[in-house]
Amino acid sequence: MSMRPSTPEDQLKIELEKATSLNQLILDSVAEGIYGIDLQANVIFWNKAAEQLTGFSITDFEYENLHDLIHHTDKEGKHVPLTDCPVYHALNTGESLLVEDDIFWRKDGTSFPVEYTIKPMIEDGQNVGTVITFRDVTEKRKTEQLLEEWEKLSLVGQMSAGIAHEIRNPITSLKGFVQLLHQSKDFKAEYFQIMDAEFNRIETIIKELLMFSKPQKANFCERDVKDIMRHVVLLMDPQAMMKNIQLKTVWDHTDAVVSCLDHQLKQVFINLIKNAMEAIVSDGEVVIRIDQDEEDVTIKVSDNGPGMSPEMIAKIGEPFFSTKESGTGLGMMVTKNIIQNNHHGSFHVESEVDKGTTFTIRLPKEFERQLR
């Protein structure tokens, strides 16, 4: 029996089959799941990892689309309409996207956390579909959670050591004076003055720790930052006059309204101005500037005190680090917590030795109004 000679069409078919087989072999060698979909959202290729991770085979996509099977809810369990899906958006715009925190659903009804990228498929300069590459990040999330717990334990350890050290010192002094009083039986006013100062220090440490840790009721309201600052400046002005320090305010007459816990912002402004005044030996100036743009309000508190080195700046906000001899460092820790965690703002320090220090706070005008 004679063999029919192969035609160019036969050769092309063989080459295409080889290329398809090679491409599938490459796809199946990848650990991440891969789905390719066309502009009609039909799955046109996939790999073994995608089947293993989701449990869905290609036949499952004959009657239902990819979105309805693996991505119909978000990680909170809320339904995600097709039009809100990042894949749908990328498919229509031809954009590339990276999604780092989402979930996909398996065929057995369970879900798993995923990271995935979406990249367009381009043929002859035209967008013909998109490729989704995803991976299960369950173990990664567990590792991150474990590291976060270790960091919390480490912070608790550091805080405990600092608290023990800061409270032990005045208690040691108090014990010494009690023994002196017991032995001498004589009333000495200076002993009681020193003891009273040590009790006050312990009380200050406890108050600042409670302010940092005590949950606050999230009664956010719309307030003009300038009104809050005017009240604080009026409150601090007598202390400034006693040290011959001028409190200078620089801002225009427009309202600078933010969503905030006004009592907490008041505490922040008091902390910053008090800190600036204490940095000045005498005859100084504290300048308070407030500016704003469409998204943020910026508050700057500057002093012409001795300034700080880069090493000192790096430690600002750490518990029990202070540039003042009698400082606890907790005031700045409380300030950073209020701005960064409670108000989703930013806190920045600029300083130069012998040239003064500037604390800069940026507060968003709008954000999700809840304490994290």
Side-chain angles (χ1 to χ4, degrees):
M1 184 174 64
S2 61
M3 298 290 293
R4 183 174 63 88
S6 61
T7 64
E9 290 78 9
D10 292 334
Q11 290 295 328
L12 180 60
K13 183 178 179 181
I14 292 170
E15 292 301 322
L16 286 174
E17 288 175 350
K18 286 182 180 179
T20 302
S21 177
L22 179 61
N23 287 339
Q24 191 64 48
L25 183 63
I26 294 171
L27 286 173
D28 289 341
S29 68
V30 177
E32 287 83 5
I34 297 175
Y35 283 117
I37 58 177
D38 62 19
L39 292 178
Q40 286 72 48
N42 299 311
V43 177
I44 54 178
F45 64 82
W46 69 102
N47 68 347
K48 286 184 179 179
E51 287 191 8
Q52 291 168 351
L53 288 168
T54 67
F56 291 109
S57 64
I58 192 62
T59 55
D60 294 307
F61 302 114
E62 291 178 359
Y63 304 104
E64 292 191 73
N65 64 50
L66 182 69
H67 173 79
D68 288 339
L69 289 180
I70 72 168
H71 192 225
H72 48 281
T73 77
D74 61 19
K75 60 180 182 176
E76 279 79 33
K78 184 179 178 181
H79 175 67
V80 178
L82 177 62
T83 52
D84 291 345
C85 179
V87 178
Y88 178 85
H89 175 78
L91 193 63
N92 283 277
T93 62
E95 296 179 2
S96 295
L97 292 176
L98 168 64
V99 180
E100 297 182 286
D101 190 14
D102 210 337
I103 65 166
F104 280 175
W105 287 89
R106 300 186 183 95
K107 190 173 183 178
D108 64 7
T110 61
S111 63
F112 60 100
V114 290
E115 292 178 349
Y116 58 96
T117 59
I118 309 167
K119 292 188 177 294
M121 287 191 291
I122 306 297
E123 286 185 7
D124 298 326
Q126 298 294 318
N127 176 33
V128 297
T130 193
V131 178
I132 307 159
T133 304
F134 65 97
R135 65 191 182 104
D136 185 340
V137 292
T138 302
E139 292 305 317
K140 180 183 177 183
R141 294 287 181 267
K142 287 180 180 178
T143 302
E144 288 174 348
Q145 186 176 5
L146 184 61
L147 289 173
E148 187 177 334
E149 293 299 323
W150 275 108
E151 287 175 2
K152 288 179 181 178
L153 287 173
S154 176
L155 179 59
V156 168
Q158 293 175 25
M159 286 284 291
S160 299
I163 293 168
H165 174 75
E166 290 297 318
I167 294 182
R168 182 180 59 190
N169 288 341
I171 287 178
T172 301
S173 298
L174 289 168
K175 286 176 65 178
F177 282 108
V178 168
Q179 290 174 0
L180 284 173
L181 289 171
H182 178 72
Q183 291 171 2
S184 66
K185 306 296 184 182
D186 294 330
F187 175 83
K188 292 188 178 182
E190 61 268 26
Y191 286 1
F192 286 96
Q193 291 173 358
I194 296 172
M195 291 171 70
D196 186 56
E198 295 299 286
F199 276 122
N200 287 337
R201 178 168 176 78
I202 293 173
E203 185 179 28
T204 298
I205 292 170
I206 292 172
K207 281 182 178 179
E208 290 180 329
L209 283 170
L210 286 174
M211 185 179 296
F212 180 75
S213 61
K214 184 179 179 181
Q216 300 288 329
K217 197 173 181 180
N219 294 323
F220 285 90
C221 58
E222 303 289 330
R223 287 295 307 273
D224 186 351
V225 172
K226 295 173 185 177
D227 282 344
I228 300 174
M229 186 63 83
R230 287 188 190 100
H231 181 77
V232 170
V233 170
L234 187 65
L235 184 69
M236 303 295 291
D237 203 44
Q239 298 179 44
M241 292 176 63
M242 290 177 62
K243 292 189 66 177
N244 200 26
I245 294 173
Q246 182 183 1
L247 298 183
K248 182 180 178 182
T249 57
V250 181
W251 59 67
D252 59 29
H253 297 292
T254 60
D255 294 340
V257 177
V258 298
S259 179
C260 67
L261 299 171
D262 55 352
H263 66 284
Q264 288 196 355
L265 288 192
K266 180 180 177 182
Q267 182 62 49
V268 165
F269 297 158
I270 289 173
N271 285 349
L272 292 181
I273 295 174
K274 182 172 178 286
N275 188 74
M277 287 168 52
E278 290 175 347
I280 299 170
V281 178
S282 63
D283 302 330
E285 182 180 73
V286 176
V287 180
I288 303 146
R289 292 181 173 85
I290 299 178
D291 297 297
Q292 62 180 315
D293 55 30
E294 291 183 0
E295 297 182 351
D296 301 305
V297 173
T298 303
I299 304 101
K300 292 179 180 285
V301 178
S302 305
D303 66 67
N304 59 350
M308 295 180 287
S309 66
E311 292 76 18
M312 295 169 70
I313 293 173
K315 292 185 177 181
I316 291 293
E318 291 184 8
F320 305 109
F321 171 79
S322 177
T323 58
K324 301 183 288 290
E325 185 177 344
S326 60
T328 65
L330 295 176
M332 279 296 121
M333 187 174 74
V334 169
T335 295
K336 289 185 72 174
N337 181 62
I338 289 173
I339 296 301
Q340 295 177 343
N341 293 340
N342 296 357
H343 289 81
H344 301 193
S346 64
F347 180 88
H348 182 64
V349 186
E350 292 178 286
S351 187
E352 192 173 343
V353 175
D354 298 328
K355 291 189 177 180
T357 301
T358 297
F359 288 91
T360 301
I361 291 171
R362 290 183 69 87
L363 293 171
K365 291 181 177 179
E366 293 290 339
F367 68 93
E368 187 179 353
R369 300 172 188 177
Q370 63 180 13
L371 293 187
R372 291 189 288 185

